[in-house]
Amino acid sequence: MSPRIGAAAIERLKERLARLEPRTKLKRVSSPVIGGRDEPVWRDLAPGALHEIAGSDWRDGAAASFYALAMASRLAHARRGDLVIVSLKSDARDAGLLYAPKGALCGVDAMRIALCFAGDVETLLWAAEDAARSPSVAALIIETCKPHRLLNLTATRRLQLAAEASGATPILLRSAHDSAASSAFRRLRVTPAPSAADSYDAAAPGRLRWRVAIERCRLGNCGEWIVEWDDETGELKEAPALYVPRPAALADRSADARARIA
Amino acid sequence: MCLALPRWPTDRLMRARALRDETLCDGALIDGARPVVLYERTARALRLYAVNRPAARLGLARGQALSDARAMVPGLVAEKAEPEADRKAFLKLCAWHMRYSPLVTPYGANDIFIDITGASHLFGGEDDMLDEARARLRGLGVEACGAIAGSAGAAFALAHTHRRFIVPEGDERRALAGLPVSMLRLEAGATENLMRLGLKTIGQLYDMPRAPLTARFGARLNRRLDQALAIVSEPLTPLHPAPDYSAIRKLVEPIATQESILVCLDALANDIETVLSKGGKGGRRFDLALYRVDNEVTRISVGASAPARDASHIKRLFRDRLDDHRNDLDAGFGFELVRLSAHQCQPLAAMQVDALAANDTKDDAAALIDRLSNRLGPRNVVRMRVVDTHAPERAVSYAPALSRAKNPLPAPLAAARPLRLLKDPEAIDVMAEVPDGPPLGFKWRRASYRVVKASGPERIESEWWRGKAGPPRDYYRVETAQGWRFWIFRAGFYGDADAAPEWRLHGFFA
């Protein structure tokens, strides 16, 4: 940098950069933990901020969609809106259909979820954009199981712009090997981890656990966490560290102490 | 209005052949002056089924034996009749006549009733409307006679006895007086009996005492007479149910491009919003019918999850559908008439415009569902509903979001259920302890998995009361070494004499 550039020029440059940045203020969302329903972070989440979730194998799809649903349930609660899930018809055959025999999924009422199946990626993107533009939608999950050429930077940017106006939060579930550029606000990788021990049956899988890596986060930190789903509270917590038995502190057995007790 | 097509079978055949550049059966070119007959096979002989005008002029008529006809007219062109094809083409022609009015009823094999009450002014009055209808049919090579009268019966009788006739208002009695009784659409026997008694014209029946007539010829005669004289109304079942509201645009110049259709739709949507809001109604289904210059109709219909009448919403729904049809919308020589109709109308309270604009997310949600359903198809936009059953594949039903069915009961279910369920459980090779141990490892989609944790079994009996009883299923929740969690089941038991147990993978836990 030439030393002749003054402070005024730098100010101008800062101003210009600020204009280029998204106008809405982005809050820090750096932890993958999804706490109670009334956590303020979901209310303050920047509208239109695109989240991207992927696994590292095609069989991780269920884990990724669970995480997306958990996020969406908080958004639906905070914004009192609906949840739209757009997916491809061909993927439903391989990956199965979302299933809610209890009437709720991660805390979202199943009746508030609209499942849409598109025939091809073009229609999928159309439906996603249309849903993102609707003010009634709190969160929008776009599921894909394979990498698609059309699901590129332009598509994600368009989605983000559509959502910015309405306030919906789009969550894009990508296939594990899709490395296309995107304008995501945050990118996570969710893979299953061995479940916690069941308190009654040692041979049975207990609380669900995942390894969640934040690979990219605007205004936040990256890192890797192991999180655990608590079915009773409906919260996604950081898994407790492994239990390490520690010896009890040595008691004071000096003559003085004995005398004090006596 | 009644349009009678006396030569429909031959006219249709000639037109179909001409369109396909085919010749007649003897290789001669299509020529309006050649006598052509259609024959059908009856029990004893080949008999004439239909004759065209030149053939009729030479004295041929329906019901004659084909051999007699050939003897009378050398060089006669005879083709086999195709009543099925005639019928199909006739119904299509009837549908096209809905351009005049939505209430069109095909009657018999070649008569069309059109209820033009309140519609004739759109075509410049009854005179012009009848002329237009006949001229258009003539343009298609179809001979048509038409009549307009206050009742269907009178119009029928006059269409069959005149080429063109319009009965002045309330003048049916005089117009029908001189016509033969056969025009009353009675059974063949009744007509014959009337003739035998010397009652040849309809006018002779006017002053007859009713009771003896009924005693002798049944109630049908009096009913038909009253219907023809518009004393009682005749119920007709139209081709398509009448829409609750409709708007129509007749175009001077046929349109073919999507842009021009949208412009037209714009006007129609505004019209229909006006009439719907006047009636305090909203439609659940909207039909757009595009009438082509050459008797074809293209119909596009869209559904709405909640009663709708907002013009911009209706327009948006159709625009999405037209985008889909962009490539296969065959405009032919262009559309000359467009009708937008609203069906399944339900009360919709008048709305205050723009007050509390931020608070209308409920409408937005319905509008979004409408748009998605119409573009992706109603079956591809669904909501989950909980069904009270233990069979896992039936416990959740996926109902179209458009149907707006309520979810009756949230089932109290304690057992763990997967996040995703396969529609058809996939067969897997399993290694498990015999007879009823949990699986130790399995092979699915050509990959092997080692099970490190398993819980179960949860036994689910098949629903034997539904008819198709299968063996009971033992479900296991398993976790593999890599951390994936699956829901797999064994149907049947080891050691069963009839069949070996079958293992399948049914779902995925997160």
Side-chain angles (χ1 to χ4, degrees):
Chain A
M1 195 198 288
S2 149
R4 269 180 296 168
I5 293 179
I10 290 182
E11 274 311 305
R12 271 207 304 280
L13 195 64
K14 272 188 183 162
E15 233 170 72
R16 224 175 120 191
L17 281 173
R19 270 207 303 277
L20 291 173
E21 284 285 308
R23 246 164 297 158
T24 43
K25 242 167 109 191
L26 297 173
K27 292 277 170 162
R28 288 172 74 95
V29 195
S30 52
S31 155
V33 166
I34 297 177
R37 294 192 124 204
D38 298 313
E39 233 180 51
V41 60
W42 301 107
R43 238 187 356 261
D44 302 341
L45 198 65
L50 178 81
H51 295 254
E52 221 179 86
I53 303 178
S56 55
D57 184 283
W58 64 271
R59 285 157 288 200
D60 297 342
S65 70
F66 190 95
Y67 192 87
L69 274 166
M71 266 181 74
S73 79
R74 295 300 183 271
L75 290 162
H77 180 74
R79 304 231 176 88
R80 312 208 183 290
D82 285 347
L83 175 56
V84 176
I85 301 180
V86 199
S87 60
L88 285 174
K89 231 184 286 179
S90 52
D91 289 345
R93 208 169 34 236
D94 281 352
L97 287 174
L98 218 55
Y99 187 63
K102 293 178 193 173
L105 276 174
C106 308
V108 207
D109 178 10
M111 272 305 279
R112 303 217 76 168
I113 304 178
L115 296 172
C116 309
F117 301 101
D120 52 35
V121 184
E122 250 172 86
T123 328
L124 176 94
L125 288 174
W126 172 85
E129 262 190 59
D130 204 21
R133 220 167 267 134
S134 168
S136 66
V137 175
L140 158 78
I141 300 181
I142 304 125
E143 294 185 348
T144 56
C145 288
K146 294 180 198 86
H148 293 286
R149 199 172 39 81
L150 285 171
L151 215 63
N152 51 17
L153 182 65
T154 319
T156 52
R157 187 82 189 112
R158 279 183 66 115
L159 204 59
Q160 202 177 340
L161 286 173
E164 237 164 59
S166 71
T169 299
I171 303 171
L172 178 62
L173 288 178
R174 272 189 195 265
S175 100
H177 306 295
D178 196 348
S179 54
S182 87
S183 63
F185 163 68
R186 193 163 76 139
R187 184 155 59 202
L188 300 129
R189 197 170 286 278
V190 181
T191 48
S195 58
D198 191 281
S199 32
Y200 301 110
D201 182 2
R207 283 180 178 176
L208 304 175
R209 280 185 181 174
W210 302 277
R211 181 170 286 114
V212 179
I214 297 187
E215 294 185 337
R216 166 192 177 166
C217 183
R218 243 191 271 171
L219 308 182
N221 303 328
C222 297
E224 196 174 295
W225 289 262
I226 293 205
V227 294
E228 180 179 288
W229 178 256
D230 187 341
D231 233 349
E232 279 143 40
T233 57
E235 286 175 32
L236 197 71
K237 300 172 177 162
E238 210 166 325
L242 289 179
Y243 175 63
V244 184
R246 247 183 278 161
L250 285 178
D252 186 2
R253 290 170 204 277
S254 63
D256 290 2
R258 241 181 302 166
R260 245 180 289 143
I261 293 165
Chain B
M1 175 156 80
C2 174
L3 292 170
L5 316 174
R7 315 256 172 235
W8 172 245
T10 46
D11 289 345
R12 182 198 68 81
L13 183 88
M14 304 278 263
R15 178 169 160 76
R17 290 283 165 83
L19 282 180
R20 290 198 305 253
D21 279 333
E22 282 177 18
T23 53
L24 292 171
C25 66
D26 63 348
L29 288 173
I30 304 286
D31 177 4
R34 297 260 325 249
V36 175
V37 296
L38 302 179
Y39 62 87
E40 61 178 345
R41 191 179 295 275
T42 57
R44 269 176 244 144
L46 300 178
R47 295 203 174 272
L48 297 193
Y49 172 75
V51 298
N52 73 350
R53 184 152 287 279
R57 244 182 240 130
L58 292 168
L60 301 183
R62 189 183 171 164
Q64 254 180 335
L66 177 62
S67 47
D68 293 352
R70 280 198 198 282
M72 282 167 68
V73 182
L76 181 70
V77 178
E79 298 255 354
K80 201 166 179 331
E82 299 164 326
E84 271 305 302
D86 288 343
R87 182 75 193 156
K88 251 168 123 181
F90 177 63
L91 289 180
K92 219 167 122 189
L93 189 74
C94 287
W96 185 63
H97 277 86
M98 286 171 70
R99 66 194 299 284
Y100 300 110
S101 151
L103 293 171
V104 173
T105 314
Y107 183 84
N110 40 21
D111 292 291
I112 309 173
F113 285 131
I114 308 172
D115 186 348
I116 55 165
T117 314
S120 53
H121 68 278
L122 293 167
F123 295 85
E126 292 180 348
D127 263 304
D128 289 356
M129 193 173 191
L130 186 56
D131 286 341
E132 185 181 331
R134 289 188 64 218
R136 276 175 187 280
L137 283 168
R138 207 176 310 122
L140 299 173
V142 177
E143 192 181 321
C145 308
I148 294 179
S151 70
F156 177 90
L158 290 161
H160 280 256
T161 44
H162 299 77
R163 305 206 115 205
R164 181 184 183 287
F165 200 95
I166 294 178
V167 182
E169 181 120 30
D171 211 17
E172 281 81 19
R173 204 176 165 86
R174 217 183 51 194
L176 290 176
L179 302 184
V181 284
S182 59
M183 289 294 120
L184 276 179
R185 295 179 290 156
L186 304 172
E187 299 95 338
T191 315
E192 233 167 72
N193 284 341
L194 281 172
M195 302 284 265
R196 208 172 289 149
L197 289 177
L199 296 170
K200 295 202 167 118
T201 63
I202 297 174
Q204 285 173 308
L205 294 174
Y206 289 166
D207 303 322
M208 298 283 291
R210 287 299 179 90
L213 273 183
T214 308
R216 202 169 173 126
F217 302 103
R220 192 183 164 98
L221 171 63
N222 275 330
R223 201 175 62 235
R224 282 293 191 211
L225 191 61
D226 286 346
Q227 282 173 350
L229 296 174
I231 296 167
V232 297
S233 68
E234 181 179 350
L236 292 171
T237 314
L239 205 57
H240 289 277
D244 298 331
Y245 294 93
S246 73
I248 190 168
R249 274 283 179 287
K250 207 178 153 203
L251 306 161
V252 180
E253 193 73 16
I255 56 172
T257 62
Q258 196 178 1
E259 288 71 33
S260 44
I261 294 173
L262 283 173
V263 171
C264 189
L265 183 62
D266 206 53
L268 286 171
N270 286 332
D271 286 1
I272 207 133
E273 185 185 358
T274 313
V275 290
L276 279 172
S277 55
K278 233 179 238 165
K281 295 282 178 65
R284 290 283 307 274
R285 193 164 63 80
F286 294 91
D287 269 353
L288 183 72
L290 300 154
Y291 294 82
R292 266 165 60 169
V293 176
D294 48 342
N295 66 342
E296 297 276 341
V297 192
T298 305
R299 274 172 203 288
I300 300 172
S301 66
V302 299
S305 61
R309 65 159 170 253
D310 181 37
S312 61
H313 181 46
I314 298 171
K315 241 162 29 199
R316 178 99 198 257
L317 293 178
F318 277 109
R319 192 162 54 217
D320 295 341
R321 289 298 302 277
L322 282 168
D323 276 343
D324 275 2
H325 280 283
R326 187 182 278 277
N327 296 325
D328 54 2
L329 189 70
D330 184 8
F333 297 105
F335 301 109
E336 50 165 3
L337 196 138
V338 186
R339 180 195 296 278
L340 177 67
S341 45
H343 299 262
Q344 297 170 19
C345 288
Q346 291 170 355
L348 180 66
M351 246 164 335
Q352 204 162 348
V353 185
D354 276 342
L356 302 172
N359 224 348
D360 54 357
T361 54
K362 209 173 145 205
D363 290 341
D364 285 330
L368 174 68
I369 294 295
D370 293 353
R371 289 199 302 272
L372 291 171
S373 299
N374 285 308
R375 176 79 183 259
L376 307 175
R379 288 171 169 281
N380 290 324
V381 180
V382 297
R383 283 191 204 281
M384 288 178 273
R385 291 170 63 198
V386 181
V387 181
D388 189 17
T389 171
H390 288 287
E393 51 267 56
R394 289 186 54 247
V396 173
S397 77
Y398 300 87
L402 269 188
S403 68
R404 284 216 302 174
K406 290 272 183 298
N407 197 12
L409 66 164
L413 189 69
R417 285 287 179 269
L419 181 72
R420 293 176 159 276
L421 196 77
L422 284 171
K423 213 169 169 196
D424 305 306
E426 293 181 17
I428 48 175
D429 294 333
V430 169
M431 201 165 60
E433 270 177 60
V434 174
D436 52 3
L440 301 173
F442 61 94
K443 229 174 149 182
W444 170 61
R445 289 188 190 168
R446 283 183 273 167
S448 304
Y449 300 87
R450 190 166 61 79
V451 173
V452 292
K453 286 178 188 168
S455 77
E458 180 193 350
R459 179 159 301 171
I460 300 179
E461 285 281 348
S462 68
E463 297 182 309
W464 48 265
W465 57 91
R466 292 174 60 85
K468 279 187 298 179
R473 293 170 174 186
D474 278 353
Y475 276 92
Y476 291 92
R477 203 149 58 90
V478 302
E479 185 175 309
T480 67
Q482 298 93 331
W484 294 310
R485 293 169 269 258
F486 299 107
W487 207 38
I488 65 185
F489 70 83
R490 186 194 66 229
F493 303 101
Y494 284 107
D496 223 349
D498 305 337
E502 210 175 52
W503 285 91
R504 282 175 187 275
L505 189 145
H506 204 167
F508 311 97
F509 290 94

